[in-house]
């Protein structure tokens, strides 16, 4: 329909395009190395920095908020998901190099945040002895309880689960 838009990372630029003509309508950010769109007005992206990469969250035309610094610029070694459980937003970031999972609650709820500010402390931080993949899987959006949990594969026979309802974790 006439309100549809395409969000794409082309080269290192994240922009919004009109789907029929692919005319660029708005640049969201430049120098991005990875990108995810959560909704029509919420974006998560990474940028290469001097020390690795940084993860940012942006809502609409507001300034992007730096949430975390990572010690790698290899986009295959990290993953992130922006999830809303009921009405509370969370950002989960997995880093295969450090074998860590960081979870940030309300990553956009800070009046002093800027794109150059220091990252905030995570709500949850876990370091694993083994982490097979940085891929984060979340409960499906069309399920009866979307955004309820995330899962990560620790080994061939062990999964890690973080439950956003209880803000707790377990593995099996």
């Amino acid at each position: 329909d006439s309100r549809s838009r395409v969000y794409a990372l082309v080269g290192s630029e994240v922009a919004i395009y009109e789907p029929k003509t692919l005319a660029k309508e708005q640049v969201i950010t430049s120098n991005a190395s990875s990108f995810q769109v959560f909704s029509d007005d919420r974006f998560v992206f990474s940028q290469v920095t001097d020390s690795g990469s940084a993860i940012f969250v942006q809502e609409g035309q507001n300034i992007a908020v730096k949430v975390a610094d990572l010690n790698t610029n290899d986009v295959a070694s990290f993953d992130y998901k922006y999830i809303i459980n009921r009405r509370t937003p969370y950002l989960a970031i997995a880093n295969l190099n450090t074998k860590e999972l960081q979870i940030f609650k309300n990553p956009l709820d800070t009046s002093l945040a800027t794109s150059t500010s220091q990252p905030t402390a995570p709500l949850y931080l876990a370091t694993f002895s083994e982490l097979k993949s940085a891929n984060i899987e979340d409960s499906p959006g069309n399920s009866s309880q979307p955004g309820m949990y995330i899962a990560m594969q620790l080994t061939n026979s062990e999964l890690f689960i973080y439950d956003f309802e209880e803000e707790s974790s377990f593995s099996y």
Side-chain angles (χ1 to χ4, degrees):
D1 72 42
S2 63
R3 295 172 293 164
S4 295
R5 296 295 174 258
V6 173
Y7 302 85
L9 171 62
V10 178
S12 63
E13 183 178 77
V14 177
I16 301 172
Y17 297 87
E18 192 281 324
K20 289 184 180 178
T21 65
L22 295 180
K24 187 185 309 180
E25 294 184 347
Q26 174 189 349
V27 173
I28 297 168
T29 190
S30 299
N31 302 320
S33 53
S34 65
F35 166 73
Q36 293 176 6
V37 61
F38 177 75
S39 65
D40 287 347
D41 64 345
R42 213 164 282 156
F43 315 97
V44 182
F45 59 90
S46 65
Q47 287 183 332
V48 174
T49 65
D50 292 339
S51 61
S53 293
I55 305 293
F56 296 84
V57 178
Q58 182 174 338
E59 186 166 26
Q61 298 291 326
N62 296 329
I63 191 164
V65 175
K66 184 194 292 185
V67 179
D69 282 317
L70 304 176
N71 65 348
T72 180
N73 59 14
D74 176 15
V75 296
S77 68
F78 61 87
D79 191 15
Y80 47 86
K81 297 279 186 221
Y82 190 89
I83 296 164
I84 293 186
N85 176 266
R86 298 187 187 254
R87 292 189 177 129
T88 304
Y90 295 88
L91 178 64
I93 303 170
N95 185 335
L96 189 58
N97 288 348
T98 58
K99 297 182 179 169
E100 287 182 340
L101 171 67
Q102 299 179 68
I103 296 179
F104 298 86
K105 187 174 184 177
N106 296 315
L108 288 169
D109 283 355
T110 174
S111 60
L112 301 175
T114 67
S115 62
T116 58
S117 68
Q118 292 301 311
T120 57
L123 164 73
Y124 179 84
L125 172 63
T127 303
F128 306 104
S129 59
E130 293 186 60
L131 182 60
K132 185 172 177 122
S133 168
N135 292 340
I136 300 171
E137 298 297 329
D138 58 331
S139 49
N142 59 356
S143 72
S144 61
Q145 295 180 313
M148 186 173 169
Y149 66 87
I150 57 169
M152 296 172 41
Q153 187 172 6
L154 299 179
T155 68
N156 286 338
S157 60
E158 187 177 12
L159 289 176
F160 172 84
I161 307 291
Y162 186 86
D163 180 341
F164 292 104
E165 287 288 309
E166 301 292 327
E167 290 185 348
S168 64
S169 65
F170 59 93
S171 60
Y172 69 102

